[in-house]
Amino acid sequence: DAKTTQPNSMESNEEEPVHLPCNHSTISGTDYIHWYRQLPSQGPEYVIHGLTSNVNNRMASLAIAEDRKSSTLILHRATLRDAAVYYCILRDVHRDDKIIFGKGTRLHILP
Amino acid sequence: EAQVTQNPRYLITVTGKKLTVTCSQNMNHEYMSWYRQDPGLGLRQIYYSMNVEVTDKGDVPEGYKVSRKEKRNFPLILESPSPNQTSLYFCASSLGTTNTGELFFGEGSRLTVL
């Protein structure tokens, strides 16, 4: 199973952009890159996903490297409510099997 | 409202007393999965199911059983709980194979085994 690597924790100031990196060097051609976040005392929630092109939605942007071996979740203007654990996972479009979350990145937002 | 519902949300039990954590989704999702979350270990997959009567082991299946008799329900069974199964458990669901849809998670079930 292709796995992802993320930093354990990151800090950012409120109202500034945040770039959360993820490495997935063994990604296959049919793997989609998904991002989830887990707010304190809640279950994880979907943020965004993409295959090759950069993606934007109301929550965040996803920038995918040309070789697809890494990606970056971008929060354009962090707020205190964005403090959470962020998970980058891979999901194969042709297979529904193990979905490995790992430990994610704990994002701290400084007021 | 689309949701994944887990019960109970909190449970304290004793070693060896069989228990079941229920999970139900109202989105007609084919894929369902159970995770446990422990400090420093992140989310680890216990079992998953790609459809009715189809289940498979995740990374940490020991000590757990599951069943998928109906599409909407995916109960997690601890036949003889032990203290090392004290954890926070999450159920998740999504549309099935060949779909890149998002995973929907329940609110979690915190289990303590004494």
Side-chain angles (χ1 to χ4, degrees):
Chain A
D1 302 320
K3 290 196 168 55
T4 62
T5 305
Q6 300 175 252
N8 288 334
S9 67
M10 291 183 62
E11 256 182 20
S12 179
N13 294 318
E14 197 177 8
E15 298 186 3
E16 293 194 354
V18 181
H19 291 235
L20 294 160
C22 181
N23 288 320
H24 26 79
S25 58
T26 58
I27 191 170
S28 73
T30 52
D31 279 329
Y32 274 74
I33 302 158
H34 284 238
W35 283 82
Y36 288 77
R37 73 177 186 180
Q38 186 175 17
L39 302 170
S41 302
Q42 294 187 25
E45 63 176 351
Y46 169 83
V47 177
I48 200 167
H49 77 277
L51 183 63
T52 56
S53 304
N54 295 343
V55 184
N56 299 298
N57 68 20
R58 64 175 180 81
M59 289 180 73
S61 296
L62 176 60
I64 301 172
E66 200 169 327
D67 65 5
R68 301 207 327 124
K69 293 185 181 216
S70 65
S71 61
T72 302
L73 180 71
I74 302 164
L75 307 178
H76 294 286
R77 193 163 168 270
T79 70
L80 295 176
R81 287 176 295 180
D82 291 320
V85 178
Y86 287 79
Y87 297 96
C88 165
I89 69 168
L90 302 178
R91 191 161 190 197
D92 191 322
V93 70
H94 292 307
R95 293 164 43 191
D96 256 341
D97 50 20
K98 290 182 182 181
I99 300 176
I100 300 171
F101 269 77
K103 299 178 187 179
T105 297
R106 183 173 295 278
L107 176 64
H108 301 272
I109 304 296
L110 306 175
Chain B
E1 178 190 354
Q3 59 186 2
V4 177
T5 304
Q6 297 179 223
N7 280 297
R9 295 286 315 283
Y10 301 91
L11 179 64
I12 300 174
T13 189
V14 295
T15 299
K17 186 176 181 182
K18 180 180 178 179
L19 69 93
T20 299
V21 186
T22 64
C23 175
S24 180
Q25 49 92 7
N26 62 359
M27 296 167 279
N28 202 35
H29 283 169
E30 293 167 347
Y31 183 90
M32 297 187 74
S33 180
W34 276 102
Y35 290 86
R36 63 177 287 175
Q37 187 169 40
D38 304 288
L41 297 178
L43 280 162
R44 294 181 293 166
Q45 192 174 40
I46 303 171
Y47 270 94
Y48 61 95
S49 169
M50 289 185 277
N51 215 323
V52 175
E53 301 293 1
V54 180
T55 63
D56 214 337
K57 296 177 180 179
D59 288 326
V60 288
E62 297 77 19
Y64 304 95
K65 285 174 56 177
V66 292
S67 69
R68 189 89 183 274
K69 293 184 170 51
E70 308 164 281
K71 202 170 190 179
R72 65 183 290 128
N73 296 322
F74 189 45
L76 180 70
I77 303 156
L78 286 73
E79 293 271 3
S80 183
S82 63
N84 65 12
Q85 292 177 298
T86 293
S87 187
L88 179 58
Y89 292 87
F90 288 101
C91 180
S93 73
S94 79
L95 286 169
T97 308
T98 74
N99 191 287
T100 59
E102 64 188 90
L103 279 166
F104 289 81
F105 282 82
E107 293 183 326
S109 296
R110 186 168 292 281
L111 172 65
T112 301
V113 184
L114 302 176

